[in-house]
């Protein structure tokens, strides 16, 4: 069973032809009911991960779309520096889901709260401003 877990971990890292070859090799090696059940759990887990990632991407696309209109006149550098204490690049990477260190990066729920606070705070400041 340890070899199966190692092979499954290796399989998870592969794609395309390399994945198909490894899967075919494993199909010949692991034939017991217990091993097949473990492979089915592995596949189900993979589908769960994909579903979770797709939900995350959908949420981030919504965030990006929601910000599209205001991004034309709201200074994201100001928000990044004054509310997140990060660079504009950091904020942009998370808004657009860019890959950083091999993983796509998104706004966390806490980051979304901070962004919502920033937008509301700026709206309040603009709303109370009058020029004499």
């Amino acid at each position: 069973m340890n070899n199966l877990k190692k092979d499954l971990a290796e399989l998870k890292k592969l794609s395309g032809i390399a994945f198909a070859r490894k899967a075919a090799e494993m199909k010949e090696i692991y034939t017991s009911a217990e091993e097949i059940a473990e492979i089915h759990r592995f596949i189900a887990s993979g589908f769960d991960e994909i579903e979770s990632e797709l939900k995350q991407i959908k949420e981030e696309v919504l965030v990006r779309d929601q910000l599209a209109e205001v991004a034309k006149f709201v200074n994201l550098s100001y928000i990044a520096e004054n509310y997140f204490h990060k660079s504009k690049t950091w904020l942009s990477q998370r808004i657009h889901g860019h890959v950083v260190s091999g993983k796509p990066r998104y706004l966390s729920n806490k980051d979304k709260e901070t962004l919502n606070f920033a937008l509301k705070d700026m709206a309040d400041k603009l709303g109370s401003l009058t020029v004499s």
Side-chain angles (χ1 to χ4, degrees):
M1 190 63 89
N2 284 340
N3 287 338
L4 174 58
K5 290 186 187 248
K6 286 179 187 175
D7 282 343
L8 289 173
E10 182 183 334
L11 186 66
K12 190 172 186 176
K13 297 175 187 176
L14 301 175
S15 63
I17 295 171
F19 179 92
R21 282 188 196 136
K22 183 69 177 175
E25 174 188 312
M26 290 174 64
K27 185 177 180 182
E28 298 297 319
I29 297 171
Y30 302 110
T31 57
S32 74
E34 184 181 330
E35 291 167 336
I36 292 171
E38 181 66 25
I39 292 169
H40 285 224
R41 283 190 291 276
F42 170 79
I43 292 169
S45 171
F47 283 132
D48 290 344
E49 286 179 28
I50 291 168
E51 180 182 21
S52 176
E53 289 174 14
L54 287 173
K55 284 180 183 177
Q56 178 76 21
I57 291 168
K58 180 180 176 184
E59 287 177 19
E60 295 313 315
V61 167
L62 289 173
V63 169
R64 187 174 56 230
D65 289 348
Q66 290 170 340
L67 290 174
E69 186 64 32
V70 297
K72 296 174 186 173
F73 60 88
V74 170
N75 187 330
L76 293 178
S77 291
Y78 178 84
I79 292 173
E81 292 169 12
N82 291 284
Y83 293 93
F84 288 96
H85 308 290
K86 304 279 186 176
S87 69
K88 178 184 178 186
T89 302
W90 178 91
L91 182 57
S92 179
Q93 288 169 340
R94 273 128 188 96
I95 290 171
H96 294 96
H98 291 173
V99 175
V100 179
S101 301
K103 291 177 69 177
R105 302 298 179 179
Y106 301 104
L107 292 170
S108 67
N109 288 336
K110 183 180 178 191
D111 293 336
K112 289 176 188 175
E113 288 175 15
T114 301
L115 181 58
N116 284 329
F117 173 80
L119 294 169
K120 181 162 180 10
D121 187 48
M122 293 169 64
D124 290 346
K125 288 175 183 176
L126 283 171
S128 66
L129 179 67
T130 57
V131 177
S132 26

